[in-house]
Amino acid sequence: MRDVLCVPLDEKMELVFAADCSGGIGLKQHDVVRVPYDVVGYHGARVALMELMSIGAIPKAFIMQNFVSDDVWAALTSGIEQAMRELQLSLPIVGSSESNMLLMQSAVGFVVAGTVTIDRKKIGVTPRDACWAVVGEPLVGEDVMKRKNRMLPLSLFRELLQLDGVYEIVPIGSKGIYYEWKLVCGDRPIHCSLPLHASAGPATCVLISYDRKQESLLRSIAQTLFYPIVNKL
């Protein structure tokens, strides 16, 4: 199971949706984490785009639900466009802003729509003898800003997508590395030097499966962000 919705269009093509949301993060008085709204837009777009692109889908359009105010639309879209540039994308953005009710905290929703051909869909394609690793570190809240050099850069994510021998890429969410591992591989014990249950917030790291022959190349590309996973069985 992955955090995307795939809807068949015909025998060869599927329509794909990926979503993320942000709450209590922004510049309202009662927000838990105080950051500018371009930062909110960037990280929300990052998650939705990574979820969609990780299965081999091509993004086609971006949708945003802004519950903050009309005034922050431009800042939010500026952050979204930054994420797109880093992924070498240019997508139309549509959405709506809540302008009737004043909320006490910031809240934003992000949706990406795209398409994938069934023969290029990267779900359940990892062979049994594949190796596994985490690229990036799990970070959440203020740590995303304080330790952003430990977060998987979108440029590196894009490179992983294009690298031969990388079978699947699974963005890690708020439930942590082991939660995503269980969804893909089942409840098998593993070892990794990273905390397995820590939240990765805005997909600050990814779980990857890969051909063992590519490990030296992956280590050279990811450098200190590469964390191998050892299956204890």
Side-chain angles (χ1 to χ4, degrees):
M1 180 179 179
R2 299 286 291 273
D3 293 332
V4 293
L5 174 64
C6 299
V7 181
L9 291 175
D10 54 38
E11 294 180 353
K12 297 182 179 179
M13 184 80 69
E14 293 182 341
L15 182 62
V16 185
F17 298 94
D20 190 49
C21 64
S22 171
I25 303 173
L27 295 175
K28 285 183 176 285
Q29 181 179 356
H30 295 283
D31 283 338
V32 179
V33 178
R34 296 184 63 80
V35 294
Y37 287 106
D38 60 328
V39 175
V40 175
Y42 173 83
H43 287 91
R46 169 193 172 91
V47 176
L49 288 166
M50 287 175 66
E51 289 284 2
L52 187 133
M53 295 176 71
S54 68
I55 71 159
I58 300 173
K60 298 293 186 180
F62 200 99
I63 305 145
M64 177 171 64
Q65 298 86 33
N66 166 28
F67 297 94
V68 184
S69 71
D70 279 329
D71 296 340
V72 305
W73 179 269
L76 287 167
T77 54
S78 175
I80 293 169
E81 289 166 351
Q82 179 187 346
M84 290 181 188
R85 285 193 298 273
E86 292 180 15
L87 290 167
Q88 299 185 10
L89 299 171
S90 179
L91 307 177
I93 302 174
V94 68
S96 179
S97 296
E98 174 57 74
S99 56
N100 295 308
M101 302 297 174
L102 181 64
L103 275 67
M104 302 292 286
Q105 290 180 301
S106 300
V108 190
F110 307 91
V111 178
V112 183
T115 57
V116 65
T117 56
I118 294 174
D119 62 336
R120 295 181 63 86
K121 188 175 176 182
K122 295 181 179 180
I123 297 180
V125 297
T126 299
R128 294 180 63 88
D129 61 348
C131 296
W132 293 85
V134 175
V135 182
E137 296 183 8
L139 304 169
V140 69
E142 293 183 355
D143 278 344
V144 175
M145 303 307 298
K146 292 179 180 178
R147 302 179 59 210
K148 57 185 178 182
N149 64 315
R150 306 310 301 165
M151 176 173 68
L152 170 71
L154 288 180
S155 57
L156 176 54
F157 170 73
R158 185 173 179 275
E159 195 169 0
L160 293 174
L161 286 174
Q162 298 173 340
L163 188 63
D164 288 339
V166 174
Y167 301 118
E168 292 187 67
I169 302 175
V170 183
I172 306 298
S174 59
K175 295 179 181 178
I177 295 166
Y178 192 66
Y179 175 82
E180 302 294 348
W181 167 267
K182 285 196 300 181
L183 291 180
V184 178
C185 299
D187 194 6
R188 293 183 287 161
I190 58 173
H191 172 76
C192 181
S193 59
L194 294 170
L196 294 177
H197 301 284
S199 171
T204 59
C205 59
V206 294
L207 177 68
I208 66 168
S209 61
Y210 61 93
D211 187 327
R212 187 181 302 276
K213 296 176 182 177
Q214 291 290 67
E215 181 158 326
S216 61
L217 177 58
L218 281 165
R219 286 181 179 272
S220 69
I221 292 171
Q223 299 183 13
T224 61
L225 294 178
F226 185 87
Y227 295 89
I229 284 179
V230 178
N231 191 340
K232 290 185 177 180
L233 293 182

